[in-house]
């Protein structure tokens, strides 16, 4: 019974993510006002500062594995300085494709991380 409930939960989560739209997600979360480097209350600069602090003061190692990267890589930017290898993962092909396009300098990526 408990196993069935867990399976249903996983299936519901998977179904929810199948409708995930990388372009809309990036537009909403990673452009102003959420990503406005002129504003002190903007969330993305704050997240980048927290991650930078974590990677310079607390966390380092050989391999950094980011689970559920989505279509973003801001979360590992500071980690690239202190890890030799960084692995981005996501179970949605649309998100892996979004990252692949940017990393391999292909046409069609929805956000330029440079
Ligand atoms: C809300 S997005 C986060 C994206 C990005 N890291 C950010 O900070 O904006 C969560 C991502 O995790 C992925 N995900 C959820 N469960 C996962 C799992 N068990 N294994 C791999 N990826 C998973 C989803 O496909 C989705 O792209």
């Amino acid at each position: 019974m408990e196993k069935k409930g867990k399976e249903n939960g996983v299936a519901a989560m998977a179904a929810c993510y199948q409708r995930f739209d990388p372009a809309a997600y990036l537009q909403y979360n990673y452009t102003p006002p959420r990503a406005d480097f002129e504003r002190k209350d903007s969330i993305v600069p704050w997240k980048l500062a927290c991650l930078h602090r974590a990677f310079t003061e607390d966390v380092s190692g050989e391999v950094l594995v980011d689970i559920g990267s989505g279509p973003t890589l801001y979360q590992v930017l500071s980690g690239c300085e202190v890890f030799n290898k960084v692995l981005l993962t996501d179970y949605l092909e649309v998100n892996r494709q979004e990252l692949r396009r940017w990393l391999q300098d292909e046409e069609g990526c929805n956000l330029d991380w440079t």
Side-chain angles (χ1 to χ4, degrees), residues 37-106:
F37 289 86
E38 304 297 316
R39 288 175 54 164
K40 285 205 179 323
D41 62 346
S42 184
I43 185 96
V44 174
W46 176 80
K47 287 201 304 191
L48 287 170
C50 292
L51 288 159
H52 180 71
R53 196 164 54 246
F55 284 121
T56 50
E57 295 174 10
D58 303 326
V59 190
S60 62
E62 183 63 26
V63 182
L64 172 62
V65 181
D66 184 39
I67 306 292
S69 304
T72 72
L73 48 77
Y74 75 91
Q75 67 274 20
V76 299
L77 290 176
S78 292
C80 293
E81 304 286 326
V82 290
F83 283 83
N84 289 327
K85 190 171 187 175
V86 177
L87 299 178
L88 299 168
T89 72
D90 202 279
Y91 67 40
L92 291 184
E93 172 55 22
V94 284
N95 286 337
R96 296 194 301 269
Q97 183 183 56
E98 177 70 29
L99 293 172
R100 208 178 298 122
R101 280 182 179 152
W102 187 79
L103 287 165
Q104 296 175 358
D105 214 10
E106 292 173 13

